[in-house]
Amino acid sequence: MARGTLTDTYVAALQHEFADVPADATRVGVVRSPTSWFHAAVDENVPELGPPAELLDAIRAAEEDLKMRGICDEEAHNAAWDQVAFGDAYREHLATADEARTALAALSTRLDDGEDLALVCYENTEKKRCHRTILRTELER
């Protein structure tokens, strides 16, 4: 059996029907604390693969500080990502947190079994950096 395909998108793209996701792909949210409207756009959510709360708090605080200095939303987000070393911290979370490792292994098994998956969260990666691109890279290994 061939390995399933792995894609990713953001929730607004799904809601407005301009996401490039295979029709048969399972839409897997990877959000720590999803809203009710987020649940309506995905087939399931795996909160264990969302960034840990303390990392989300750190990036939000850095982002707000940068916005207060007059930096626009997207630039503040991306600069805060670097400021808090978000990518490294999220990779560390995936490698060391038991619940994240278990959830990552489960998605990998599903891909190996031929299931098509689409990772979904909030950020439009054409404008803002997002943990799901790191997650996708990890799953593609």
Side-chain angles (χ1 to χ4, degrees):
M1 176 177 283
R3 182 168 165 90
T5 61
L6 180 63
T7 58
D8 69 272
T9 192
Y10 59 108
V11 68
L14 290 173
Q15 292 169 323
H16 299 288
E17 299 180 1
F18 58 84
D20 187 20
V21 173
D24 62 341
T26 303
R27 297 170 181 188
V28 180
V30 290
V31 174
R32 179 72 48 186
S33 300
T35 61
S36 58
W37 53 266
F38 183 87
H39 280 295
V42 297
D43 299 310
E44 63 188 79
N45 185 56
V46 184
E48 299 84 0
L49 294 176
E54 54 277 359
L55 181 55
L56 290 172
D57 291 344
I59 195 168
R60 282 187 195 115
E63 192 173 340
E64 286 305 312
D65 180 56
L66 291 164
K67 286 187 209 175
M68 293 296 288
R69 296 187 206 172
I71 298 175
C72 77
D73 184 54
E74 289 90 4
E75 287 181 26
H77 174 86
N78 293 332
W81 177 287
D82 291 333
Q83 188 175 333
V84 302
F86 190 97
D88 291 340
Y90 182 65
R91 282 183 199 89
E92 178 75 13
H93 169 71
L94 291 177
T96 61
D98 288 340
E99 71 278 359
R101 289 186 5 215
T102 300
L104 192 62
L107 287 185
S108 185
T109 297
R110 289 167 65 181
L111 285 165
D112 288 344
D113 289 345
E115 185 175 356
D116 296 331
L117 301 176
L119 304 175
V120 182
C121 89
Y122 295 111
E123 302 299 349
N124 176 351
T125 56
E126 291 178 16
K127 298 179 180 183
K128 293 182 175 182
R129 295 165 82 178
C130 178
H131 76 285
R132 81 170 183 273
T133 59
I134 294 171
L135 181 58
R136 182 175 176 178
T137 299
E138 292 298 316
L139 285 165
E140 287 173 338
R141 289 187 184 179

